[in-house]
mmCIF file of all heavy atoms in Angstrom:
data_model
loop_
_atom_site.group_PDB
_atom_site.id
_atom_site.type_symbol
_atom_site.label_atom_id
_atom_site.label_comp_id
_atom_site.label_asym_id
_atom_site.label_seq_id
_atom_site.Cartn_x
_atom_site.Cartn_y
_atom_site.Cartn_z
ATOM 1 N N ALA A 28 2.762 -2.813 2.727
ATOM 2 C CA ALA A 28 3.085 -1.766 3.649
ATOM 3 C C ALA A 28 4.658 -1.777 3.879
ATOM 4 O O ALA A 28 5.354 -0.757 3.897
ATOM 5 C CB ALA A 28 2.392 -1.790 4.904
ATOM 6 N N ALA A 29 5.099 -2.960 4.125
ATOM 7 C CA ALA A 29 6.601 -3.060 4.413
ATOM 8 C C ALA A 29 7.470 -2.683 3.194
ATOM 9 O O ALA A 29 8.501 -2.062 3.418
ATOM 10 C CB ALA A 29 6.882 -4.595 4.806
ATOM 11 N N ILE A 30 7.006 -3.011 1.938
ATOM 12 C CA ILE A 30 7.783 -2.627 0.815
ATOM 13 C C ILE A 30 7.788 -1.170 0.679
ATOM 14 O O ILE A 30 8.782 -0.467 0.474
ATOM 15 C CB ILE A 30 7.131 -3.378 -0.392
ATOM 16 C CG1 ILE A 30 7.434 -4.857 -0.410
ATOM 17 C CG2 ILE A 30 7.734 -2.778 -1.722
ATOM 18 C CD1 ILE A 30 6.813 -5.645 -1.492
ATOM 19 N N ASN A 31 6.598 -0.554 0.798
ATOM 20 C CA ASN A 31 6.499 0.924 0.640
ATOM 21 C C ASN A 31 7.375 1.624 1.721
ATOM 22 O O ASN A 31 8.148 2.507 1.285
ATOM 23 C CB ASN A 31 5.046 1.339 0.790
ATOM 24 C CG ASN A 31 4.905 2.922 0.672
ATOM 25 O OD1 ASN A 31 5.061 3.620 1.741
ATOM 26 N ND2 ASN A 31 4.628 3.391 -0.501
ATOM 27 N N ILE A 32 7.247 1.242 2.981
ATOM 28 C CA ILE A 32 8.013 1.887 4.000
ATOM 29 C C ILE A 32 9.558 1.587 3.836
ATOM 30 O O ILE A 32 10.390 2.495 3.984
ATOM 31 C CB ILE A 32 7.646 1.376 5.383
ATOM 32 C CG1 ILE A 32 6.158 1.855 5.569
ATOM 33 C CG2 ILE A 32 8.506 1.927 6.493
ATOM 34 C CD1 ILE A 32 5.533 1.342 6.896
ATOM 35 N N GLY A 33 9.890 0.372 3.365
ATOM 36 C CA GLY A 33 11.268 0.045 3.064
ATOM 37 C C GLY A 33 11.808 0.944 1.987
ATOM 38 O O GLY A 33 13.049 1.372 2.095
ATOM 39 N N VAL A 34 11.082 1.213 0.956
ATOM 40 C CA VAL A 34 11.592 2.133 -0.072
ATOM 41 C C VAL A 34 11.752 3.538 0.491
ATOM 42 O O VAL A 34 12.781 4.197 0.152
ATOM 43 C CB VAL A 34 10.561 2.169 -1.298
ATOM 44 C CG1 VAL A 34 10.851 3.262 -2.250
ATOM 45 C CG2 VAL A 34 10.547 0.781 -2.028
ATOM 46 N N ASN A 35 10.794 4.007 1.302
ATOM 47 C CA ASN A 35 10.820 5.357 1.808
ATOM 48 C C ASN A 35 12.120 5.617 2.693
ATOM 49 O O ASN A 35 12.636 6.667 2.756
ATOM 50 C CB ASN A 35 9.603 5.674 2.657
ATOM 51 C CG ASN A 35 8.496 6.231 1.709
ATOM 52 O OD1 ASN A 35 8.126 7.364 1.765
ATOM 53 N ND2 ASN A 35 7.938 5.339 0.868
ATOM 54 N N VAL A 36 12.492 4.526 3.432
ATOM 55 C CA VAL A 36 13.649 4.733 4.363
ATOM 56 C C VAL A 36 14.916 4.205 3.689
ATOM 57 O O VAL A 36 15.954 4.265 4.437
ATOM 58 C CB VAL A 36 13.325 4.051 5.704
ATOM 59 C CG1 VAL A 36 12.089 4.515 6.365
ATOM 60 C CG2 VAL A 36 13.254 2.464 5.452
ATOM 61 N N GLY A 37 14.878 3.882 2.444
ATOM 62 C CA GLY A 37 16.108 3.531 1.730
ATOM 63 C C GLY A 37 16.581 2.093 1.944
ATOM 64 O O GLY A 37 17.721 1.785 1.557
ATOM 65 N N MET A 38 15.712 1.212 2.407
ATOM 66 C CA MET A 38 16.107 -0.163 2.666
ATOM 67 C C MET A 38 15.858 -1.056 1.433
ATOM 68 O O MET A 38 16.356 -2.181 1.367
ATOM 69 C CB MET A 38 15.430 -0.711 3.826
ATOM 70 C CG MET A 38 15.839 -0.082 5.179
ATOM 71 S SD MET A 38 14.967 -0.716 6.600
ATOM 72 C CE MET A 38 15.558 -2.443 6.638
ATOM 73 N N LEU A 39 15.003 -0.518 0.528
ATOM 74 C CA LEU A 39 14.611 -1.301 -0.686
ATOM 75 C C LEU A 39 14.742 -0.374 -1.917
ATOM 76 O O LEU A 39 14.546 0.796 -1.797
ATOM 77 C CB LEU A 39 13.243 -1.950 -0.576
ATOM 78 C CG LEU A 39 13.020 -3.003 0.528
ATOM 79 C CD1 LEU A 39 11.527 -3.277 0.655
ATOM 80 C CD2 LEU A 39 13.767 -4.242 0.183
ATOM 81 N N PRO A 40 14.943 -0.956 -3.140
ATOM 82 C CA PRO A 40 14.890 -0.157 -4.341
ATOM 83 C C PRO A 40 13.528 0.346 -4.609
ATOM 84 O O PRO A 40 12.544 -0.375 -4.255
ATOM 85 C CB PRO A 40 15.474 -1.125 -5.355
ATOM 86 C CG PRO A 40 15.264 -2.465 -4.842
ATOM 87 C CD PRO A 40 15.321 -2.348 -3.374
ATOM 88 N N ALA A 41 13.371 1.460 -5.275
ATOM 89 C CA ALA A 41 12.058 2.040 -5.507
ATOM 90 C C ALA A 41 11.226 1.103 -6.428
ATOM 91 O O ALA A 41 11.789 0.483 -7.402
ATOM 92 C CB ALA A 41 12.180 3.375 -6.306
ATOM 93 N N LYS A 42 10.012 0.887 -6.054
ATOM 94 C CA LYS A 42 9.062 -0.092 -6.763
ATOM 95 C C LYS A 42 7.802 0.523 -7.178
ATOM 96 O O LYS A 42 6.937 -0.107 -7.900
ATOM 97 C CB LYS A 42 8.823 -1.258 -5.894
ATOM 98 C CG LYS A 42 9.990 -2.185 -5.721
ATOM 99 C CD LYS A 42 9.609 -3.416 -4.915
ATOM 100 C CE LYS A 42 10.748 -4.441 -4.827
ATOM 101 N NZ LYS A 42 11.875 -3.921 -4.167
ATOM 102 N N GLY A 43 7.461 1.784 -6.856
ATOM 103 C CA GLY A 43 6.189 2.398 -7.262
ATOM 104 C C GLY A 43 5.030 1.715 -6.576
ATOM 105 O O GLY A 43 3.969 1.573 -7.321
ATOM 106 N N MET A 44 5.144 1.428 -5.278
ATOM 107 C CA MET A 44 4.013 0.702 -4.573
ATOM 108 C C MET A 44 3.479 1.588 -3.546
ATOM 109 O O MET A 44 4.254 2.272 -2.839
ATOM 110 C CB MET A 44 4.588 -0.548 -4.035
ATOM 111 C CG MET A 44 3.380 -1.585 -3.541
ATOM 112 S SD MET A 44 4.134 -3.196 -3.187
ATOM 113 C CE MET A 44 4.558 -3.767 -4.870
ATOM 114 N N THR A 45 2.155 1.652 -3.451
ATOM 115 C CA THR A 45 1.495 2.634 -2.492
ATOM 116 C C THR A 45 1.474 2.061 -1.057
ATOM 117 O O THR A 45 1.695 0.851 -0.842
ATOM 118 C CB THR A 45 0.087 2.912 -2.944
ATOM 119 O OG1 THR A 45 -0.590 1.645 -3.026
ATOM 120 C CG2 THR A 45 0.088 3.571 -4.254
ATOM 121 N N LEU A 46 1.218 2.978 -0.058
ATOM 122 C CA LEU A 46 1.117 2.559 1.264
ATOM 123 C C LEU A 46 -0.419 2.348 1.540
ATOM 124 O O LEU A 46 -1.212 3.248 1.360
ATOM 125 C CB LEU A 46 1.587 3.645 2.191
ATOM 126 C CG LEU A 46 1.671 3.382 3.675
ATOM 127 C CD1 LEU A 46 2.491 2.101 3.997
ATOM 128 C CD2 LEU A 46 2.140 4.579 4.549
ATOM 129 N N PRO A 47 -0.795 1.140 1.866
ATOM 130 C CA PRO A 47 -2.267 0.754 1.957
ATOM 131 C C PRO A 47 -3.094 1.733 2.807
ATOM 132 O O PRO A 47 -2.724 2.075 3.940
ATOM 133 C CB PRO A 47 -2.212 -0.595 2.604
ATOM 134 C CG PRO A 47 -0.962 -1.210 2.179
ATOM 135 C CD PRO A 47 -0.010 0.020 2.217
ATOM 136 N N LEU A 48 -4.223 2.210 2.220
ATOM 137 C CA LEU A 48 -5.178 3.050 2.844
ATOM 138 C C LEU A 48 -4.712 4.431 3.208
ATOM 139 O O LEU A 48 -5.406 5.281 3.713
ATOM 140 C CB LEU A 48 -5.752 2.401 4.081
ATOM 141 C CG LEU A 48 -6.597 1.103 3.826
ATOM 142 C CD1 LEU A 48 -7.025 0.503 5.202
ATOM 143 C CD2 LEU A 48 -7.809 1.427 2.923
ATOM 144 N N ILE A 49 -3.466 4.752 2.860
ATOM 145 C CA ILE A 49 -2.913 6.053 3.168
ATOM 146 C C ILE A 49 -2.477 6.848 1.887
ATOM 147 O O ILE A 49 -2.756 8.020 1.749
ATOM 148 C CB ILE A 49 -1.645 5.930 4.098
ATOM 149 C CG1 ILE A 49 -2.165 5.460 5.499
ATOM 150 C CG2 ILE A 49 -0.935 7.281 4.262
ATOM 151 C CD1 ILE A 49 -1.051 5.346 6.530
ATOM 152 N N SER A 50 -1.841 6.202 1.000
ATOM 153 C CA SER A 50 -1.447 6.829 -0.251
ATOM 154 C C SER A 50 -2.639 7.275 -1.088
ATOM 155 O O SER A 50 -3.741 6.585 -1.066
ATOM 156 C CB SER A 50 -0.513 5.923 -1.089
ATOM 157 O OG SER A 50 0.711 5.598 -0.434
ATOM 158 N N TYR A 51 -2.469 8.284 -1.820
ATOM 159 C CA TYR A 51 -3.384 8.722 -2.868
ATOM 160 C C TYR A 51 -3.444 7.686 -4.029
ATOM 161 O O TYR A 51 -2.398 7.177 -4.402
ATOM 162 C CB TYR A 51 -3.073 10.094 -3.411
ATOM 163 C CG TYR A 51 -3.917 10.505 -4.560
ATOM 164 C CD1 TYR A 51 -5.163 11.038 -4.379
ATOM 165 C CD2 TYR A 51 -3.397 10.305 -5.846
ATOM 166 C CE1 TYR A 51 -5.893 11.425 -5.568
ATOM 167 C CE2 TYR A 51 -4.190 10.693 -6.991
ATOM 168 C CZ TYR A 51 -5.413 11.240 -6.816
ATOM 169 O OH TYR A 51 -6.147 11.528 -7.859
ATOM 170 N N GLY A 52 -4.677 7.473 -4.481
ATOM 171 C CA GLY A 52 -4.733 6.566 -5.689
ATOM 172 C C GLY A 52 -6.106 5.803 -5.619
ATOM 173 O O GLY A 52 -6.273 5.023 -4.677
ATOM 174 N N GLY A 53 -6.918 6.058 -6.646
ATOM 175 C CA GLY A 53 -8.215 5.422 -6.608
ATOM 176 C C GLY A 53 -8.187 3.888 -6.604
ATOM 177 O O GLY A 53 -8.808 3.244 -5.800
ATOM 178 N N SER A 54 -7.445 3.353 -7.552
ATOM 179 C CA SER A 54 -7.402 1.904 -7.600
ATOM 180 C C SER A 54 -6.832 1.261 -6.358
ATOM 181 O O SER A 54 -7.340 0.269 -5.870
ATOM 182 C CB SER A 54 -6.552 1.436 -8.852
ATOM 183 O OG SER A 54 -7.052 1.884 -9.977
ATOM 184 N N SER A 55 -5.738 1.899 -5.871
ATOM 185 C CA SER A 55 -5.094 1.370 -4.694
ATOM 186 C C SER A 55 -6.038 1.377 -3.476
ATOM 187 O O SER A 55 -6.214 0.364 -2.753
ATOM 188 C CB SER A 55 -3.891 2.168 -4.386
ATOM 189 O OG SER A 55 -3.300 1.772 -3.167
ATOM 190 N N ILE A 56 -6.601 2.449 -3.167
ATOM 191 C CA ILE A 56 -7.457 2.597 -1.896
ATOM 192 C C ILE A 56 -8.739 1.805 -2.057
ATOM 193 O O ILE A 56 -9.188 1.164 -1.083
ATOM 194 C CB ILE A 56 -7.748 4.057 -1.589
ATOM 195 C CG1 ILE A 56 -8.318 4.131 -0.203
ATOM 196 C CG2 ILE A 56 -8.694 4.728 -2.536
ATOM 197 C CD1 ILE A 56 -8.363 5.573 0.362
ATOM 198 N N LEU A 57 -9.380 1.735 -3.265
ATOM 199 C CA LEU A 57 -10.613 1.001 -3.424
ATOM 200 C C LEU A 57 -10.248 -0.550 -3.302
ATOM 201 O O LEU A 57 -11.012 -1.271 -2.631
ATOM 202 C CB LEU A 57 -11.224 1.272 -4.707
ATOM 203 C CG LEU A 57 -11.865 2.626 -4.922
ATOM 204 C CD1 LEU A 57 -12.224 2.933 -6.360
ATOM 205 C CD2 LEU A 57 -13.149 2.764 -4.030
ATOM 206 N N ALA A 58 -9.188 -1.009 -3.932
ATOM 207 C CA ALA A 58 -8.881 -2.358 -3.834
ATOM 208 C C ALA A 58 -8.425 -2.787 -2.435
ATOM 209 O O ALA A 58 -8.746 -3.864 -1.975
ATOM 210 C CB ALA A 58 -7.742 -2.710 -4.853
ATOM 211 N N MET A 59 -7.733 -1.877 -1.793
ATOM 212 C CA MET A 59 -7.258 -2.250 -0.453
ATOM 213 C C MET A 59 -8.484 -2.301 0.453
ATOM 214 O O MET A 59 -8.548 -3.086 1.427
ATOM 215 C CB MET A 59 -6.200 -1.223 0.062
ATOM 216 C CG MET A 59 -5.533 -1.651 1.286
ATOM 217 S SD MET A 59 -4.752 -3.318 1.229
ATOM 218 C CE MET A 59 -3.632 -3.046 -0.086
ATOM 219 N N GLY A 60 -9.456 -1.349 0.252
ATOM 220 C CA GLY A 60 -10.707 -1.478 1.054
ATOM 221 C C GLY A 60 -11.489 -2.788 0.863
ATOM 222 O O GLY A 60 -12.013 -3.328 1.808
ATOM 223 N N PHE A 61 -11.514 -3.183 -0.389
ATOM 224 C CA PHE A 61 -12.088 -4.473 -0.696
ATOM 225 C C PHE A 61 -11.393 -5.643 -0.016
ATOM 226 O O PHE A 61 -12.011 -6.572 0.542
ATOM 227 C CB PHE A 61 -12.104 -4.669 -2.272
ATOM 228 C CG PHE A 61 -12.783 -5.960 -2.645
ATOM 229 C CD1 PHE A 61 -14.100 -6.238 -2.339
ATOM 230 C CD2 PHE A 61 -12.120 -6.927 -3.476
ATOM 231 C CE1 PHE A 61 -14.694 -7.469 -2.725
ATOM 232 C CE2 PHE A 61 -12.706 -8.060 -3.945
ATOM 233 C CZ PHE A 61 -14.022 -8.323 -3.519
ATOM 234 N N THR A 62 -10.025 -5.589 -0.006
ATOM 235 C CA THR A 62 -9.229 -6.548 0.678
ATOM 236 C C THR A 62 -9.489 -6.599 2.174
ATOM 237 O O THR A 62 -9.670 -7.633 2.810
ATOM 238 C CB THR A 62 -7.711 -6.267 0.499
ATOM 239 O OG1 THR A 62 -7.485 -6.237 -0.945
ATOM 240 C CG2 THR A 62 -6.905 -7.343 1.146
ATOM 241 N N ALA A 63 -9.652 -5.386 2.747
ATOM 242 C CA ALA A 63 -10.007 -5.267 4.189
ATOM 243 C C ALA A 63 -11.302 -5.803 4.452
ATOM 244 O O ALA A 63 -11.577 -6.483 5.498
ATOM 245 C CB ALA A 63 -9.905 -3.790 4.641
ATOM 246 N N GLY A 64 -12.312 -5.615 3.590
ATOM 247 C CA GLY A 64 -13.697 -6.074 3.801
ATOM 248 C C GLY A 64 -13.621 -7.643 3.752
ATOM 249 O O GLY A 64 -14.335 -8.216 4.599
ATOM 250 N N LEU A 65 -12.862 -8.229 2.810
ATOM 251 C CA LEU A 65 -12.782 -9.616 2.781
ATOM 252 C C LEU A 65 -12.204 -10.232 4.051
ATOM 253 O O LEU A 65 -12.592 -11.269 4.586
ATOM 254 C CB LEU A 65 -11.995 -10.102 1.532
ATOM 255 C CG LEU A 65 -12.607 -9.828 0.157
ATOM 256 C CD1 LEU A 65 -11.598 -10.198 -0.952
ATOM 257 C CD2 LEU A 65 -13.899 -10.577 0.017
ATOM 258 N N LEU A 66 -11.161 -9.581 4.535
ATOM 259 C CA LEU A 66 -10.433 -9.993 5.729
ATOM 260 C C LEU A 66 -11.478 -9.945 6.974
ATOM 261 O O LEU A 66 -11.391 -10.812 7.798
ATOM 262 C CB LEU A 66 -9.175 -9.161 6.046
ATOM 263 C CG LEU A 66 -8.326 -9.665 7.186
ATOM 264 C CD1 LEU A 66 -7.909 -11.076 7.029
ATOM 265 C CD2 LEU A 66 -7.122 -8.697 7.330
ATOM 266 N N LEU A 67 -12.202 -8.881 7.047
ATOM 267 C CA LEU A 67 -13.245 -8.791 8.098
ATOM 268 C C LEU A 67 -14.254 -9.866 8.063
ATOM 269 O O LEU A 67 -14.664 -10.308 9.047
ATOM 270 C CB LEU A 67 -13.849 -7.369 8.060
ATOM 271 C CG LEU A 67 -12.939 -6.237 8.452
ATOM 272 C CD1 LEU A 67 -13.660 -4.891 8.182
ATOM 273 C CD2 LEU A 67 -12.535 -6.288 9.877
#
């Protein structure tokens, strides 16, 4: 999340990284949901 937001506000170079659970993307949102489930 910090990398994505940093890119959006110009603090980091573009990296093509999604914002967890918010950005569009099947692989990203499914994998992040799995990560959240493991953390819970």
